[in-house]
Amino acid sequence: PGRAGCGATRVRAGQTVTNKNSLDLLRLVAAAMVLYSHQYALLGLAEPAFISWDTIGRAGVTIFFFLSGYLVWSSWDRDPHFKRFFQRRVLRIFPALWVVCLLSVFVLGPVVSVLSLRDYFLSSLTWSYLATALLVPARILPGLFTANHFPLVVNGSLWTLPVEFLCYCTIAVVGLTVLAAKLRRGLAIGLALAGVVLVATYGPLVIGVFFVPHLEMVAMFWWGAVYGYCLKRERERFGVAVVFFAIAFTAFALLGPRGFERTAMLVCAAALVHVARHVTAGARLTDPLGDLSYGVYIFAFPVQQLGVHYGRGLGWSFGTYLSVSLLATLGLAYASWHRVEKRALRFKPASRSMA
Protein backbone atom coordinates (compact mmCIF):
# COMPACT_ATOMS: atom_id res chain seq x y z
CA PRO A 1 0.00 0.00 0.00
CA GLY A 2 0.97 3.69 -0.51
CA ARG A 3 3.29 2.90 -3.36
CA ALA A 4 3.01 5.67 -5.91
CA GLY A 5 6.71 6.10 -6.49
CA CYS A 6 6.58 9.70 -5.26
CA GLY A 7 8.36 10.43 -2.03
CA ALA A 8 11.72 11.58 -0.84
CA THR A 9 13.28 9.78 -3.79
CA ARG A 10 11.88 9.14 -7.26
CA VAL A 11 13.43 7.20 -10.08
CA ARG A 12 12.25 8.52 -13.42
CA ALA A 13 13.57 7.73 -16.86
CA GLY A 14 16.71 6.23 -15.34
CA GLN A 15 17.52 9.24 -13.15
CA THR A 16 17.10 9.92 -9.46
CA VAL A 17 15.27 13.08 -8.44
CA THR A 18 15.36 14.13 -4.81
CA ASN A 19 12.25 15.68 -3.23
CA LYS A 20 12.85 17.24 0.13
CA ASN A 21 9.96 15.99 2.22
CA SER A 22 9.40 13.28 4.81
CA LEU A 23 6.84 11.14 2.98
CA ASP A 24 9.21 8.19 2.62
CA LEU A 25 9.93 8.36 6.35
CA LEU A 26 6.21 8.49 7.11
CA ARG A 27 5.65 5.39 4.95
CA LEU A 28 8.48 3.60 6.74
CA VAL A 29 6.98 4.49 10.13
CA ALA A 30 3.58 3.23 8.93
CA ALA A 31 5.14 -0.07 7.82
CA ALA A 32 6.89 -0.37 11.20
CA MET A 33 3.54 0.21 12.94
CA VAL A 34 2.10 -2.75 11.06
CA LEU A 35 5.10 -4.92 11.95
CA TYR A 36 4.89 -3.90 15.61
CA SER A 37 1.17 -4.61 15.84
CA HIS A 38 1.48 -7.97 14.06
CA GLN A 39 4.21 -9.05 16.48
CA TYR A 40 1.61 -9.10 19.23
CA ALA A 41 -0.92 -11.02 17.17
CA LEU A 42 1.61 -13.61 15.99
CA LEU A 43 2.60 -14.28 19.59
CA GLY A 44 -1.04 -14.81 20.55
CA LEU A 45 -1.40 -11.44 22.25
CA ALA A 46 -3.98 -8.70 21.73
CA GLU A 47 -2.81 -6.06 19.28
CA PRO A 48 -2.25 -2.67 20.96
CA ALA A 49 -4.81 0.05 20.33
CA PHE A 50 -4.20 3.35 18.59
CA ILE A 51 -5.92 5.85 20.93
CA SER A 52 -8.77 3.30 21.32
CA TRP A 53 -9.91 3.94 17.71
CA ASP A 54 -8.34 0.87 16.13
CA THR A 55 -5.18 -1.20 16.29
CA ILE A 56 -1.77 0.34 15.67
CA GLY A 57 -1.43 -1.86 12.60
CA ARG A 58 -4.69 -0.61 11.10
CA ALA A 59 -3.56 2.96 11.79
CA GLY A 60 -0.43 2.27 9.75
CA VAL A 61 -2.49 0.87 6.88
CA THR A 62 -4.76 3.94 7.02
CA ILE A 63 -1.72 6.18 6.58
CA PHE A 64 -0.61 4.08 3.61
CA PHE A 65 -3.96 4.34 1.83
CA PHE A 66 -4.48 8.05 2.43
CA LEU A 67 -0.96 8.82 1.23
CA SER A 68 -1.39 6.53 -1.76
CA GLY A 69 -4.62 8.26 -2.75
CA TYR A 70 -2.91 11.64 -2.67
CA LEU A 71 0.11 10.50 -4.67
CA VAL A 72 -1.71 8.33 -7.20
CA TRP A 73 -4.30 10.99 -8.00
CA SER A 74 -1.48 13.53 -8.36
CA SER A 75 0.30 11.13 -10.71
CA TRP A 76 -2.81 10.77 -12.87
CA ASP A 77 -3.42 14.53 -12.78
CA ARG A 78 0.10 15.19 -14.09
CA ASP A 79 -0.19 12.63 -16.88
CA PRO A 80 -3.74 11.35 -17.51
CA HIS A 81 -2.73 8.52 -19.82
CA PHE A 82 -4.17 5.05 -19.17
CA LYS A 83 -1.23 2.95 -20.39
CA ARG A 84 1.53 4.99 -18.77
CA PHE A 85 -0.44 5.22 -15.54
CA PHE A 86 -0.74 1.45 -15.17
CA GLN A 87 2.83 0.86 -16.30
CA ARG A 88 3.97 2.94 -13.33
CA ARG A 89 1.65 1.16 -10.93
CA VAL A 90 2.67 -2.31 -12.13
CA LEU A 91 6.38 -1.52 -11.92
CA ARG A 92 5.96 -0.28 -8.37
CA ILE A 93 3.89 -3.14 -6.94
CA PHE A 94 4.70 -6.35 -8.78
CA PRO A 95 8.50 -6.88 -8.98
CA ALA A 96 9.05 -7.04 -5.20
CA LEU A 97 5.77 -8.93 -4.73
CA TRP A 98 6.94 -11.59 -7.20
CA VAL A 99 10.20 -11.93 -5.29
CA VAL A 100 8.54 -12.40 -1.91
CA CYS A 101 6.07 -14.92 -3.38
CA LEU A 102 8.78 -16.97 -5.10
CA LEU A 103 10.94 -16.95 -1.98
CA SER A 104 7.95 -18.08 0.09
CA VAL A 105 7.11 -21.00 -2.21
CA PHE A 106 10.58 -22.21 -3.22
CA VAL A 107 12.75 -21.33 -0.20
CA LEU A 108 10.67 -20.78 2.93
CA GLY A 109 8.24 -23.62 2.22
CA PRO A 110 10.73 -26.42 1.58
CA VAL A 111 12.83 -25.41 4.59
CA VAL A 112 10.05 -25.00 7.15
CA SER A 113 7.23 -27.30 6.05
CA VAL A 114 6.66 -30.41 8.15
CA LEU A 115 5.79 -32.25 4.93
CA SER A 116 8.37 -34.10 2.93
CA LEU A 117 9.76 -32.23 -0.05
CA ARG A 118 7.83 -34.51 -2.37
CA ASP A 119 4.50 -34.04 -0.57
CA TYR A 120 5.05 -30.30 -0.31
CA PHE A 121 5.49 -29.87 -4.06
CA LEU A 122 2.70 -32.32 -4.89
CA SER A 123 0.21 -30.32 -2.83
CA SER A 124 -2.14 -28.11 -4.84
CA LEU A 125 -1.87 -25.50 -2.08
CA THR A 126 1.79 -24.98 -2.94
CA TRP A 127 1.08 -24.08 -6.55
CA SER A 128 -2.11 -22.16 -5.86
CA TYR A 129 -0.08 -19.85 -3.60
CA LEU A 130 1.65 -18.51 -6.72
CA ALA A 131 -1.61 -16.74 -7.56
CA THR A 132 -0.63 -14.32 -4.79
CA ALA A 133 1.87 -12.85 -7.24
CA LEU A 134 -1.12 -11.84 -9.38
CA LEU A 135 -2.94 -10.17 -6.46
CA VAL A 136 -5.07 -13.21 -5.62
CA PRO A 137 -3.88 -13.85 -2.04
CA ALA A 138 -3.81 -17.55 -1.14
CA ARG A 139 -2.54 -17.01 2.44
CA ILE A 140 -1.38 -20.56 3.25
CA LEU A 141 1.31 -23.02 2.28
CA PRO A 142 1.04 -26.70 3.31
CA GLY A 143 2.84 -27.75 6.47
CA LEU A 144 4.22 -24.32 7.43
CA PHE A 145 4.14 -22.92 10.96
CA THR A 146 1.80 -25.65 12.19
CA ALA A 147 2.50 -24.87 15.84
CA ASN A 148 2.27 -21.08 15.49
CA HIS A 149 -0.78 -19.08 16.55
CA PHE A 150 -1.56 -18.55 12.84
CA PRO A 151 -0.81 -22.00 11.39
CA LEU A 152 -0.09 -22.29 7.66
CA VAL A 153 -0.47 -18.52 7.12
CA VAL A 154 2.54 -17.16 5.24
CA ASN A 155 1.86 -13.48 4.63
CA GLY A 156 -1.24 -12.00 6.18
CA SER A 157 -0.29 -8.45 5.17
CA LEU A 158 -0.84 -8.97 1.45
CA TRP A 159 -4.63 -8.58 1.69
CA THR A 160 -4.20 -4.84 1.14
CA LEU A 161 -2.51 -5.12 -2.26
CA PRO A 162 -5.59 -6.18 -4.29
CA VAL A 163 -7.51 -3.39 -2.54
CA GLU A 164 -4.77 -0.94 -3.47
CA PHE A 165 -4.80 -2.01 -7.10
CA LEU A 166 -8.59 -1.75 -7.18
CA CYS A 167 -8.19 1.84 -6.00
CA TYR A 168 -5.82 2.48 -8.92
CA CYS A 169 -8.50 1.20 -11.28
CA THR A 170 -11.09 3.55 -9.78
CA ILE A 171 -8.71 6.48 -10.25
CA ALA A 172 -8.31 5.55 -13.92
CA VAL A 173 -12.08 5.17 -14.39
CA VAL A 174 -12.84 8.54 -12.81
CA GLY A 175 -9.97 10.19 -14.66
CA LEU A 176 -11.07 8.83 -18.03
CA THR A 177 -14.66 9.86 -17.30
CA VAL A 178 -13.47 13.40 -16.64
CA LEU A 179 -11.71 13.44 -20.00
CA ALA A 180 -14.51 11.78 -21.98
CA ALA A 181 -17.44 13.67 -20.49
CA LYS A 182 -15.53 16.91 -19.93
CA LEU A 183 -16.56 16.95 -16.28
CA ARG A 184 -14.89 19.15 -13.73
CA ARG A 185 -12.35 17.26 -11.68
CA GLY A 186 -13.90 18.41 -8.43
CA LEU A 187 -17.36 17.20 -9.38
CA ALA A 188 -16.05 13.81 -10.51
CA ILE A 189 -13.96 13.32 -7.35
CA GLY A 190 -16.87 14.45 -5.19
CA LEU A 191 -19.21 11.93 -6.77
CA ALA A 192 -16.63 9.15 -6.46
CA LEU A 193 -15.99 10.04 -2.82
CA ALA A 194 -19.70 10.06 -2.00
CA GLY A 195 -20.01 6.64 -3.61
CA VAL A 196 -17.15 5.03 -1.70
CA VAL A 197 -18.33 6.54 1.60
CA LEU A 198 -21.76 4.99 1.11
CA VAL A 199 -20.24 1.66 0.08
CA ALA A 200 -17.89 1.68 3.08
CA THR A 201 -20.86 2.35 5.37
CA TYR A 202 -23.49 0.03 3.97
CA GLY A 203 -21.50 -2.42 1.86
CA PRO A 204 -20.79 -4.78 4.79
CA LEU A 205 -24.55 -5.25 5.22
CA VAL A 206 -24.55 -6.84 1.76
CA ILE A 207 -21.20 -8.61 1.46
CA GLY A 208 -20.41 -9.23 5.14
CA VAL A 209 -18.48 -7.62 7.99
CA PHE A 210 -15.28 -9.39 6.89
CA PHE A 211 -14.92 -6.69 4.23
CA VAL A 212 -15.23 -3.71 6.58
CA PRO A 213 -11.48 -2.95 6.53
CA HIS A 214 -11.28 -3.42 2.75
CA LEU A 215 -14.07 -0.94 2.08
CA GLU A 216 -12.83 1.55 4.66
CA MET A 217 -9.39 1.56 3.06
CA VAL A 218 -10.91 2.35 -0.34
CA ALA A 219 -12.59 5.32 1.31
CA MET A 220 -9.30 6.39 2.93
CA PHE A 221 -7.63 6.21 -0.49
CA TRP A 222 -10.24 8.51 -2.00
CA TRP A 223 -9.94 10.96 0.87
CA GLY A 224 -6.26 11.10 -0.04
CA ALA A 225 -7.25 11.78 -3.65
CA VAL A 226 -9.44 14.64 -2.40
CA TYR A 227 -6.44 16.03 -0.54
CA GLY A 228 -4.36 15.86 -3.72
CA TYR A 229 -7.10 17.61 -5.69
CA CYS A 230 -7.42 20.36 -3.09
CA LEU A 231 -3.73 21.15 -3.39
CA LYS A 232 -4.31 21.95 -7.10
CA ARG A 233 -7.70 23.60 -6.73
CA GLU A 234 -6.58 26.79 -8.48
CA ARG A 235 -7.25 25.05 -11.81
CA GLU A 236 -11.03 25.32 -11.50
CA ARG A 237 -13.79 26.76 -9.39
CA PHE A 238 -13.89 25.00 -6.07
CA GLY A 239 -17.40 25.65 -4.76
CA VAL A 240 -19.29 22.61 -6.06
CA ALA A 241 -16.52 20.27 -4.92
CA VAL A 242 -16.57 21.71 -1.40
CA VAL A 243 -20.27 20.92 -1.04
CA PHE A 244 -19.73 17.29 -2.06
CA PHE A 245 -16.70 16.94 0.21
CA ALA A 246 -18.57 18.41 3.20
CA ILE A 247 -21.55 16.10 2.69
CA ALA A 248 -19.25 13.08 2.28
CA PHE A 249 -17.28 13.98 5.42
CA THR A 250 -20.47 14.38 7.46
CA ALA A 251 -21.76 11.02 6.22
CA PHE A 252 -18.39 9.37 6.91
CA ALA A 253 -18.47 10.67 10.48
CA LEU A 254 -22.11 10.07 11.36
CA LEU A 255 -23.27 7.03 9.42
CA GLY A 256 -22.50 3.46 10.41
CA PRO A 257 -21.24 1.93 13.66
CA ARG A 258 -17.61 3.02 13.11
CA GLY A 259 -18.25 6.58 11.99
CA PHE A 260 -16.34 8.34 14.76
CA GLU A 261 -13.41 5.92 14.86
CA ARG A 262 -12.76 5.87 11.12
CA THR A 263 -13.11 9.66 10.86
CA ALA A 264 -10.65 10.16 13.71
CA MET A 265 -8.19 7.84 11.95
CA LEU A 266 -8.71 9.76 8.72
CA VAL A 267 -7.98 13.10 10.38
CA CYS A 268 -4.82 11.73 11.99
CA ALA A 269 -3.58 10.29 8.68
CA ALA A 270 -4.32 13.53 6.83
CA ALA A 271 -2.53 15.61 9.47
CA LEU A 272 0.56 13.37 9.37
CA VAL A 273 0.73 13.47 5.57
CA HIS A 274 0.30 17.24 5.53
CA VAL A 275 3.09 17.73 8.05
CA ALA A 276 5.37 15.25 6.28
CA ARG A 277 4.98 17.16 3.02
CA HIS A 278 6.43 20.27 4.63
CA VAL A 279 9.15 18.77 6.83
CA THR A 280 12.49 18.09 5.14
CA ALA A 281 14.29 16.31 7.97
CA GLY A 282 12.97 12.88 7.03
CA ALA A 283 14.69 12.94 3.65
CA ARG A 284 18.09 13.13 5.32
CA LEU A 285 17.37 9.77 6.96
CA THR A 286 15.69 7.95 4.09
CA ASP A 287 17.69 9.22 1.10
CA PRO A 288 20.87 7.30 2.03
CA LEU A 289 18.91 4.09 2.72
CA GLY A 290 16.34 4.22 -0.07
CA ASP A 291 12.58 3.73 0.14
CA LEU A 292 12.36 0.65 2.36
CA SER A 293 8.71 0.90 3.34
CA TYR A 294 7.21 -1.44 0.74
CA GLY A 295 9.85 -4.07 1.43
CA VAL A 296 9.23 -3.82 5.17
CA TYR A 297 5.51 -4.21 4.61
CA ILE A 298 5.59 -7.28 2.36
CA PHE A 299 8.50 -9.14 4.03
CA ALA A 300 7.65 -8.54 7.69
CA PHE A 301 4.89 -11.12 8.20
CA PRO A 302 6.77 -14.21 6.94
CA VAL A 303 9.89 -13.08 8.81
CA GLN A 304 7.86 -12.75 12.01
CA GLN A 305 6.20 -16.13 11.50
CA LEU A 306 9.65 -17.63 11.03
CA GLY A 307 10.86 -15.94 14.21
CA VAL A 308 7.95 -17.35 16.21
CA HIS A 309 8.60 -20.77 14.68
CA TYR A 310 12.26 -20.95 15.70
CA GLY A 311 12.13 -18.79 18.84
CA ARG A 312 9.45 -20.79 20.61
CA GLY A 313 11.86 -23.06 22.47
CA LEU A 314 14.46 -20.39 23.19
CA GLY A 315 12.55 -18.42 25.81
CA TRP A 316 12.66 -15.18 23.86
CA SER A 317 11.02 -12.08 25.30
CA PHE A 318 8.66 -9.92 23.24
CA GLY A 319 11.47 -7.41 22.76
CA THR A 320 13.77 -10.09 21.37
CA TYR A 321 11.14 -11.30 18.90
CA LEU A 322 10.49 -7.73 17.81
CA SER A 323 14.16 -6.80 17.46
CA VAL A 324 15.06 -9.91 15.46
CA SER A 325 12.05 -9.45 13.18
CA LEU A 326 12.72 -5.75 12.62
CA LEU A 327 16.42 -6.18 11.83
CA ALA A 328 15.86 -9.12 9.48
CA THR A 329 12.99 -7.35 7.73
CA LEU A 330 14.99 -4.15 7.27
CA GLY A 331 17.81 -6.17 5.73
CA LEU A 332 15.45 -7.82 3.25
CA ALA A 333 13.75 -4.50 2.51
CA TYR A 334 17.12 -2.86 1.82
CA ALA A 335 18.05 -5.64 -0.61
CA SER A 336 14.59 -5.49 -2.20
CA TRP A 337 14.81 -1.75 -2.82
CA HIS A 338 18.33 -1.72 -4.24
CA ARG A 339 18.24 -5.01 -6.14
CA VAL A 340 14.64 -5.14 -7.33
CA GLU A 341 12.38 -2.12 -6.81
CA LYS A 342 14.78 0.68 -7.73
CA ARG A 343 15.93 -1.16 -10.84
CA ALA A 344 12.35 -1.82 -11.93
CA LEU A 345 11.49 1.86 -11.58
CA ARG A 346 14.07 2.71 -14.23
CA PHE A 347 11.59 1.37 -16.76
CA LYS A 348 8.85 3.79 -15.72
CA PRO A 349 7.61 5.73 -18.76
CA ALA A 350 8.28 9.43 -18.91
CA SER A 351 5.25 11.63 -18.41
CA ARG A 352 3.66 13.55 -21.24
CA SER A 353 5.41 16.74 -20.21
CA MET A 354 8.81 15.00 -20.34
CA ALA A 355 8.27 13.13 -23.60
Side-chain angles (χ1 to χ4, degrees):
R3 315 306 315 151
C6 306
T9 304
R10 293 185 201 163
V11 180
R12 179 187 294 162
Q15 296 184 351
T16 300
V17 180
T18 302
N19 302 295
K20 295 302 180 183
N21 59 53
S22 297
L23 294 180
D24 280 353
L25 179 60
L26 178 60
R27 278 198 294 249
L28 184 59
V29 170
M33 291 168 67
V34 175
L35 184 154
Y36 175 73
S37 192
H38 281 173
Q39 192 65 69
Y40 281 87
L42 293 174
L43 290 171
L45 306 171
E47 293 187 58
F50 182 80
I51 322 180
S52 78
W53 299 332
D54 214 322
T55 66
I56 288 178
R58 188 73 63 81
V61 173
T62 299
I63 294 169
F64 273 135
F65 272 88
F66 183 92
L67 179 55
S68 182
Y70 155 53
L71 294 174
V72 172
W73 172 260
S74 300
S75 175
W76 174 269
D77 196 40
R78 285 192 302 271
D79 184 22
H81 186 276
F82 183 86
K83 181 179 178 180
R84 291 193 293 267
F85 175 77
F86 276 103
Q87 284 177 326
R88 297 182 186 109
R89 307 287 74 78
V90 166
L91 287 169
R92 194 61 192 95
I93 282 188
F94 283 98
L97 175 62
W98 292 338
V99 169
V100 75
C101 288
L102 292 174
L103 288 176
S104 297
V105 171
F106 295 108
V107 178
L108 181 63
V111 170
V112 178
S113 178
V114 296
L115 302 180
S116 68
L117 202 59
R118 179 180 181 276
D119 289 342
Y120 172 80
F121 281 112
L122 285 177
S123 172
S124 61
L125 293 175
T126 300
W127 302 106
S128 63
Y129 188 85
L130 292 174
T132 303
L134 299 176
L135 299 182
V136 185
R139 289 179 59 87
I140 67 174
L141 281 172
L144 269 69
F145 311 126
T146 54
N148 286 14
H149 292 281
F150 287 83
L152 308 181
V153 178
V154 180
N155 203 331
S157 297
L158 299 186
W159 69 269
T160 63
L161 297 188
V163 181
E164 174 94 359
F165 202 81
L166 172 64
C167 291
Y168 299 163
C169 295
T170 62
I171 287 284
V173 169
V174 172
L176 290 174
T177 302
V178 168
L179 295 176
K182 301 188 184 325
L183 292 177
R184 292 180 181 175
R185 289 181 178 85
L187 176 60
I189 292 178
L191 289 171
L193 179 66
V196 298
V197 165
L198 289 175
V199 170
T201 302
Y202 298 112
L205 298 178
V206 179
I207 61 177
V209 295
F210 175 81
F211 293 100
V212 166
H214 302 70
L215 298 177
E216 285 190 359
M217 290 309 117
V218 174
M220 295 300 180
F221 180 95
W222 271 97
W223 279 114
V226 167
Y227 176 75
Y229 165 78
C230 290
L231 294 177
K232 299 291 182 66
R233 65 186 182 276
E234 70 277 0
R235 295 185 182 181
E236 61 184 28
R237 286 179 294 177
F238 197 44
V240 175
V242 167
V243 173
F244 273 102
F245 299 160
I247 293 172
F249 185 82
T250 302
F252 198 63
L254 299 181
L255 299 180
R258 281 182 41 81
F260 173 79
E261 290 82 1
R262 67 188 185 185
T263 304
M265 297 278 282
L266 166 64
V267 171
C268 284
L272 289 170
V273 169
H274 189 73
V275 170
R277 284 185 58 249
H278 295 92
V279 173
T280 62
R284 290 196 292 271
L285 175 63
T286 56
D287 280 356
L289 296 174
D291 186 359
L292 307 187
S293 57
Y294 185 46
V296 168
Y297 185 80
I298 64 174
F299 280 100
F301 200 98
V303 167
Q304 290 175 286
Q305 280 280 64
L306 195 62
V308 173
H309 175 77
Y310 285 114
R312 186 179 304 105
L314 301 178
W316 285 359
S317 66
F318 176 86
T320 302
Y321 278 112
L322 181 64
S323 299
V324 170
S325 297
L326 182 60
L327 290 174
T329 301
L330 285 172
L332 289 169
Y334 185 87
S336 176
W337 170 253
H338 289 280
R339 296 298 181 183
V340 179
E341 299 167 56
K342 186 177 179 180
R343 295 183 179 187
L345 291 178
R346 293 172 182 168
F347 295 96
K348 288 173 65 175
S351 67
R352 179 178 55 186
S353 61
M354 296 176 63

